[in-house]
Amino acid sequence: MTPQTSSVPPIVLRRIGVYCGGNDGARPGYVALARSLGQALAQRGIGLVYGGGRTGLMGAMADAALAAGGEVVGVMPHGLVEREVAHHELTHLHIVDSMHERKAMMASLADAFITLPGGIGTLEEFFETWTWAQLGVHRKPMGLLDVDGFWEPLLAMLSHMDGEGFLRGNPRAWLLHDQHVERLLAALEQFVAPEVRTWARLAET
Ligand code: AMP
């Protein structure tokens, strides 16, 4: 997607929040993608903020970032530390009280967000963070990192919602999509946030 033009300066990417599956998924490409993202972030000196688990794509990504010398910060509610198997070798693991606190902390620590393939937890985090941009709560871009066309059904659904008149205020302007890690990171770095339209103003349109 083409970045929007605006007088607002580009965002400096110090840390990226990543949402992704706690499982490996059915294809080897998913874990490979998670690893390459973790490695690329570390190589660029960009910190990784994620849910703090050691399983599935989450663990693969964190391990790859750590192995490449990157900063990895996990945020996990205490109720999930054992159930989701927390990663205890991270640069820092924040233990918080609730899922809501987890998302709020991840959102405040990160300068942009990338979503990898995952399940309903991943989608929940992706959509909530994206709606916060639409509401003017933050001005941080969202990226969908793709492999094997995983995100195509979601993108088709979004086009359908748009065509049916349900995407008001152009929330797609905040959403980048690519299957190449380096290209997506470059697009996030070059992203310029569109003019913020508050929820009150959206309701007027
Ligand atoms: P999944 O995509 O279902 O494998 O879940 C990936 C991650 O999303 C896991 O770390 C879950 O704990 C997390 N998750 C699931 N539901 C929520 C929620 N309501 N809020 C925040 N994180 C969640």
Side-chain angles (χ1 to χ4, degrees):
M1 177 168 287
T2 312
Q4 304 293 298
T5 51
S6 156
S7 56
V8 181
I11 299 159
V12 178
L13 298 179
R14 287 157 303 187
R15 295 195 198 94
I16 291 187
V18 180
Y19 305 129
C20 62
N23 295 291
D24 286 351
R27 297 166 188 259
Y30 299 139
V31 168
L33 186 68
R35 286 201 186 108
S36 61
L37 176 60
Q39 193 176 40
L41 292 178
Q43 285 168 349
R44 281 176 167 242
I46 299 173
L48 165 64
V49 179
Y50 84 116
R54 65 182 307 161
T55 64
L57 271 53
M58 297 172 82
M61 170 181 66
D63 286 340
L66 290 168
E71 177 201 50
V72 184
V73 176
V75 186
M76 189 174 262
H78 54 72
L80 285 188
V81 167
E82 285 185 17
R83 205 174 104 194
E84 286 208 338
V85 196
H87 197 310
H88 291 289
E89 285 82 47
L90 305 178
T91 313
H92 191 75
L93 177 65
H94 293 278
I95 310 285
V96 295
D97 284 333
S98 65
M99 284 292 201
H100 183 75
E101 227 182 292
R102 171 196 242 182
K103 283 178 289 192
M105 182 177 277
M106 286 180 70
S108 72
L109 288 173
D111 300 305
F113 307 92
I114 290 179
T115 305
L116 291 172
I120 56 174
T122 300
L123 281 185
E124 197 275 345
E125 293 170 313
F126 163 74
F127 275 112
E128 179 160 8
T129 309
W130 189 15
T131 59
W132 287 352
Q134 176 174 255
L135 292 167
V137 175
H138 66 73
R139 299 176 57 74
K140 303 173 182 179
M142 311 289 302
L144 286 175
L145 186 56
D146 215 340
V147 63
D148 292 337
F150 182 85
W151 292 118
E152 293 302 333
L154 178 70
L155 294 169
M157 185 67 207
L158 292 172
S159 294
H160 177 62
M161 289 158 76
D162 197 17
E164 295 303 309
F166 287 106
L167 294 194
R168 300 171 78 190
N170 194 19
R172 286 293 304 268
W174 298 90
L175 185 62
L176 307 164
H177 168 240
D178 211 302
Q179 55 187 320
H180 298 286
V181 174
E182 292 296 335
R183 218 161 50 199
L184 183 61
L185 289 174
L188 288 169
E189 276 176 344
Q190 288 155 21
F191 178 83
V192 178
E195 189 189 338
V196 175
R197 311 182 73 202
T198 65
W199 189 247
R201 286 182 60 198
L202 276 176
E204 289 165 11
T205 60

